[in-house]
């Protein structure tokens, strides 16, 4: 996913809030399962490490890579980058919904 930060994503200090970045990361992870395996999933656990703040209107790239997938659960690694390098890294485990 590619995009940029908008004023609605800012916190009181003028940088992108962690909640909005985590929401974008979670959506990218869930979308990776939907695209690759056509699976409906829900988040189970989510561990995120933020390394630096993101400024307003800064271009970001969110990359989600499936690490493991099974019948009932899966794991995905999510990276957030900009032109200067890594912004955040996360690992999310998901539960697979049975159709």
């Amino acid at each position: 996913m590619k995009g940029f930060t908008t004023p609605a994503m800012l916190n009181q200090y003028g940088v992108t809030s962690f909640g909005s970045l985590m929401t974008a990361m979670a959506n990218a992870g869930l979308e990776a399962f939907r695209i690759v395996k056509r699976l409906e999933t829900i988040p189970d656990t989510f561990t995120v490490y933020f390394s630096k703040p993101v400024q307003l209107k800064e271009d970001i790239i969110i990359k989600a890579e499936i690490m493991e997938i099974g019948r009932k659960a899966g794991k995905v690694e999510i990276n957030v980058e900009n032109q200067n390098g890594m912004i955040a890294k996360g690992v999310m485990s998901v539960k697979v919904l049975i159709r």
Side-chain angles (χ1 to χ4, degrees):
M1 289 176 37
K2 291 183 182 182
F4 63 94
T5 56
T6 63
M9 298 171 73
L10 298 181
N11 63 12
Q12 65 269 24
Y13 302 112
V15 296
T16 304
S17 68
F18 298 131
S20 61
L21 271 179
M22 284 184 61
T23 302
M25 291 172 72
N27 285 335
L30 296 174
E31 189 67 22
F33 283 104
R34 200 171 298 128
I35 290 171
V36 173
K37 291 287 187 173
R38 294 188 179 200
L39 293 175
E40 291 297 322
T41 56
I42 56 171
D44 189 22
T45 60
F46 197 7
T47 305
V48 181
Y49 297 98
F50 294 101
S51 61
K52 54 183 144 179
V54 183
Q55 300 298 322
L56 178 64
K57 299 213 177 182
E58 189 171 332
D59 291 326
I60 58 173
I61 299 170
I62 302 175
K63 298 177 183 176
E65 181 180 336
I66 296 174
M67 297 168 48
E68 176 184 330
I69 189 164
R71 284 183 41 223
K72 295 185 178 184
K75 290 182 185 172
V76 63
E77 180 182 25
I78 306 160
N79 296 319
V80 181
E81 301 171 352
N82 64 3
Q83 63 272 15
N84 298 329
M86 184 74 65
I87 295 171
K89 184 177 199 89
V91 175
M92 180 171 62
S93 63
V94 298
K95 290 185 179 179
V96 176
L97 296 176
I98 300 170
R99 296 182 191 189

